[in-house]
């Protein structure tokens, strides 16, 4: 018996020594797809702390989880499909013939970088450790540069991989970057220039303990351990990409406080030796650009990682977008902020590298999510590596444009004083003389003194009359306004909502200089109505001339009103309510509405209960929606909804009074919708007028406000998830928004003068004519101008269409010598040709036309004209009158349109052009049928 007990004790002792082996026998890692369509509430799911591996926003997410997690997912009511019940087994079977699945081990990767230095000692440092992992392994980094031991005044870049231990494809990318830089030096001109002109730091293995653990448990590859190997007491590991100090622990959606979670953030920011070591390393350098490589999903992600104000998009979002768009041509990866593409994160490396600007300068940082699997097959490695060579070398090249300066001034805001020389509304308007006080911030890390700056613009509508000023001394991250005012005059011919581009060229006593650019708008859009949309509805608010006056109509019987309560008894409920009058909305007539508990009504009858707001217009949500506050609301929990008809004033009201949001539960919203009887409040189109009023708004950060047509293709979006249209004020207490189609007809003159071409020969021919269109009224007009062809009294076919915004009084289009290429395949018979102005296609404010005849063989009834190739656009040149500087007819004598790149493209492309001098540019895109798709540029450049 004693011998047996001794043997048992020895066995137990041996097992204790082999704790890592015991840890390998943990539950299987599963890949599970979860339905998260727009009807699904996703926040409770994300609060489970799951590792989101892939997905499509508002469609599905793929998560890596254990069987117990799957039960929790299903217990919350989510539809989940198991794509792979045991990922480790799947990978191990796939890699049976390849040690470590064909990937480098930690030791092999370490040997690679030491060998790179041995082979290229003149352009690399010996690998150096910036610290040790929690289990005592070195955190190796190697520097590549022409003078590696000298800290030269060159742009610095940082590339790292394997912060998550189950993402080995990232290791192969960083090792290949190192190999190409060193082996190509002196041979490949690009590699040679990069090594000569940059300081490049490469860290192949950020998380050595987790990676070695995967090698121990799965020596043939496929180990699914993600975190480091901290002993949490009952569980292991901290997610190193949730352990950075910037916005650490912001919420439990983007990271988890549970030690067993795959996204466990640790006990504090930088609680882990790995992240703390890299933090100190970054603080010792001035990295312009960094790439923190991950897998998988084929994405390029950048900050911010949190959607909520004040985060969302960084001030450098346009730079991130532009550089990512260029890299897209090589790897085809979708790019954007992670919250915008898929889900939110906090405490990650990207946000710290970019957002931490006190300890160190700002770094433009990316995450590349490489491939479509954690452990791609060995045969897939070369292709995935190759896809990401050009993008990473491009980032190295671009670093010179984003090198942080010790003193770096950026414009952040400005105050316009137009009290003496204008209307006193605090904005620049046509004909005003204004003073301007800009505020700049020092984004560097030393104090700037003796700062002076010159204000310039190339815009012909603005003349700067006082261009120089000085600024106070600015400590790092301090802001200050100019010590004297700049002054400028705005031309009376400047269009409303015209953006003026300014440069502020600054210098300081420390020897640094730069230019910070910004735009100011002439005619603040906040004081202009929104719209019209493609149908003709416009939105006026309290700030607009002739806008509504807030006048709350209290109808809640609990608050002394005379309305009828709607008894909502469950979450996400819609009830039908009859209207006391017929109401025309986007051309359709309705006698009832549907009122949803989630802050919207819809014309007609619907059972839709959509709580998950989307943009407007969009196929999500009900048809014919009016949404004053589309959000997940809970009147069955708190607050009331009521309706009332005022038979004397001829309006109908629906009021939401102190209705609670589902989340946050502390937010209560009060607003109302007023429908005016079209028989008593007429419009030219016959459509009804609508009023939104807001009498107490707590949290509009994740709602939608606006109106939408029955086809869900046209509408006006006031607000979506905290992003307001510039014409709309914040939806605070006392704001009123009034929707209407025109009540008076704009005064437009149109003339279409026939010259020649009729009858058109059998084989087709040009119909020659002159076009004239002028705003003879006294106010600016938004409208469409178009040409229609009608055959034998049939329906019109629009062959040319252009939309105009802020078309000023006196502006005219005068285009003699225009033509329409009538095809030979047009049926013989009688046609009419029209020039029309209004709201295409249904509302015509002015028209002129003439008949023409086509020879040949008559078709059977029902022939419909079509849009032929080569139709010229008669609306391309506007005579704006006045001074030559404001005349759009002035054109450069030399210019070049350089084409599009990439082509073909998906989802976007860039169109480049060159000018020999400051000129007026109109760059408009048309489809193959001659219809305008977009107006990219229309102004002085």
């Amino acid at each position: 018996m004693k011998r047996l007990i001794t043997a048992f004790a020895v066995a137990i002792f041996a097992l204790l020594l082999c704790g890592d082996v015991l840890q390998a026998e943990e539950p299987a890692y599963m890949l599970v797809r979860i339905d998260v369509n727009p009807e699904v509430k996703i926040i409770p799911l994300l609060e489970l702390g799951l590792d989101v591996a892939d997905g499509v926003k508002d469609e599905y997410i793929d998560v890596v989880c254990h069987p117990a997690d799957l039960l929790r997912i299903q217990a919350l009511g989510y539809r989940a499909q198991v794509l792979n019940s045991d990922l480790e087994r799947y990978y191990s079977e796939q890699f049976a013939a390849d040690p470590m699945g064909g990937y480098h081990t930690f030791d092999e990767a370490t040997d690679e970088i030491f060998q790179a230095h041995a082979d290229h000692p003149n352009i690399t440092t010996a690998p150096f450790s910036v610290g040790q992992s929690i289990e005592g392994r070195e955190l190796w980094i190697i520097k590549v540069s022409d003078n590696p031991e000298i800290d030269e005044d060159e742009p610095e870049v940082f590339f790292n991989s394997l912060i998550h231990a189950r993402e080995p494809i990232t290791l192969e990318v960083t090792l290949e970057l190192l190999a190409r830089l060193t082996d190509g030096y002196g041979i490949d001109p690009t590699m040679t220039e990069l090594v000569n002109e940059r300081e490049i730091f490469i860290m192949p293995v950020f998380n050595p303990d987790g990676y070695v653990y995967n090698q121990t448990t799965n020596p043939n590859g496929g180990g699914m351990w993600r975190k480091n190997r901290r002993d949490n007491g009952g569980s292991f590991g901290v997610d190193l990409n949730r352990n950075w100090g910037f916005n650490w622990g912001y919420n439990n959606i983007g990271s988890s406080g549970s030690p067993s979670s795959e996204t466990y953030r640790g006990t504090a920011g930088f609680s882990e030796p790995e992240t703390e070591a890299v933090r100190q390393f970054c603080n010792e350098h001035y990295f312009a650009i960094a790439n923190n490589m991950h897998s998988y999903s084929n994405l390029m992600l950048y900050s911010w990682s949190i959607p909520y104000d004040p985060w969302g998009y960084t001030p450098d979002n346009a730079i991130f977008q532009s550089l990512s768009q260029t890299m897209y041509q090589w790897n085809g990866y979708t790019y954007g902020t992670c919250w915008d593409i898929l889900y939110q994160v906090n405490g990650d490396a990207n946000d710290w590298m970019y957002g931490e600007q006190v300890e160190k300068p700002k770094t433009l940082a990316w995450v590349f999510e490489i491939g479509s699997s954690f452990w791609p097959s060995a045969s897939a490695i070369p292709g995935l590596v190759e896809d990401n060579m050009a993008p990473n070398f491009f980032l190295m090249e671009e670093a010179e444009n984003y090198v942080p300066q010790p003193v770096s001034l950026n414009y952040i805001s400005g105050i316009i004083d137009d009290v003496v020389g204008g209307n006193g509304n605090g904005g620049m308007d046509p004909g005003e003389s204004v003073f301007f006080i800009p505020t700049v911030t020092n984004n560097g890390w030393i104090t700037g003194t003796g700062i002076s700056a010159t204000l310039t613009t190339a815009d012909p509508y603005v003349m700067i009359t006082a261009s120089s000023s000085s600024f106070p001394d600015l400590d790092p991250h301090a802001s200050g306004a100019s010590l004297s005012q700049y002054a400028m005059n705005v031309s009376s011919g400047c269009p409303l909502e015209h953006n003026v581009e300014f440069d502020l060229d600054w210098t300081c006593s420390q020897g640094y200089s730069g230019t910070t650019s910004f735009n100011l708008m002439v005619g603040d859009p906040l004081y202009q109505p929104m719209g019209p949309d493609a149908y003709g509805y416009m939105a006026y608010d309290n700030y607009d001339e002739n806008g509504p006056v807030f006048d709350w109509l209290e109808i809640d019987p609990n608050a002394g009103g005379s309305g009828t309560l709607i008894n909502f008894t469950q979450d996400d409920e819609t009830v039908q309510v009859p209207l006391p009058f017929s109401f025309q909305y986007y051309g359709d007539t309705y006698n009832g509405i549907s009122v949803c508990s989630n802050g919207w009504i819809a014309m007609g009858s619907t059972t839709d209960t959509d709580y998950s707001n989307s943009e407007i217009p969009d196929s999500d949500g009900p048809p014919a929606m009016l949404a004053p506050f589309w959000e997940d609301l809970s009147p069955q929990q708190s607050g009331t909804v009521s309706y009332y008809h005022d038979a004397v004033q001829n309006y109908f009201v629906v009021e939401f009074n102190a209705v609670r949001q589902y989340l946050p539960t502390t937010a209560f919203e009060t607003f109302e919708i007023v429908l005016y009887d079209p028989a008593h409040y007429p419009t030219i189109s016959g459509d009804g007028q609508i009023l939104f009023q807001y009498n107490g708004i707590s949290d509009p950060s994740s709602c939608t406000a606006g109106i939408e047509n029955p086809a869900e293709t046209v509408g006006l979006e006031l607000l979506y998830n905290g992003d307001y249209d510039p014409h709309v004020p914040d939806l605070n207490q006392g704001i009123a928004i009034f929707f209407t189609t025109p009540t008076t007809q704009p005064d437009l003159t149109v003339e279409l003068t026939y010259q020649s071409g009729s009858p058109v020969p059998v084989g087709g021919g040009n119909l020659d004519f002159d076009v004239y269109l002028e705003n003879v009224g006294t106010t600016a007009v938004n409208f469409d101008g178009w040409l229609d062809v009608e055959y034998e009294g049939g329906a019109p076919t629009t062959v040319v269409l252009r939309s105009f915004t802020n078309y000023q009084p006196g502006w005219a289009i005068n285009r003699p010598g225009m033509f329409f290429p009538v095809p030979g395949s047009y049926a013989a018979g009688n046609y009419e040709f029209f020039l029309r102005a209004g709201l295409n296609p249904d509302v015509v404010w002015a028209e002129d036309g003439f008949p023409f005849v086509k020879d040949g063989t008559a078709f059977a009834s029902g022939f419909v004209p079509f849009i032929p190739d080569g139709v010229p656009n008669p609306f391309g040149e506007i005579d704006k009158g006045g001074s030559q500087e404001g005349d759009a007819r002035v054109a450069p004598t030399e210019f070049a349109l350089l084409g599009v790149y990439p082509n073909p493209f998906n989802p976007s492309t860039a169109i480049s052009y060159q000018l020999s001098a400051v000129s007026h540019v109109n760059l408009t895109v048309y489809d193959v049928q001659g219809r305008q798709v977009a107006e990219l540029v229309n102004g002085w450049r």
Side-chain angles (χ1 to χ4, degrees), residues 367-423:
V367 160
F368 279 20
E369 293 277 5
I370 299 169
S372 56
S373 170
F374 286 119
W375 290 82
S377 65
S379 62
I381 294 173
L384 292 170
V385 168
E386 187 60 39
D387 287 344
N388 290 283
M389 288 297 100
N392 279 297
F393 290 133
F394 172 75
L395 289 177
M396 295 179 196
E397 292 173 351
E398 285 294 314
E400 67 178 343
N401 299 316
Y402 306 103
V403 175
Q405 273 196 153
V407 178
S408 179
L409 303 186
N410 282 86
Y411 171 86
I412 57 171
S413 64
I415 297 174
I416 295 171
D417 180 358
D418 63 336
V419 173
V420 176
N423 58 17

Side-chain angles (χ1 to χ4, degrees), residues 119-140:
D119 294 340
H120 307 280
N122 294 328
I123 58 169
T124 62
T125 61
F128 55 93
S129 175
V130 295
Q132 291 185 331
S133 68
I134 199 165
E135 292 183 345
R137 293 180 176 88
E138 303 297 337
L139 304 175
W140 296 112

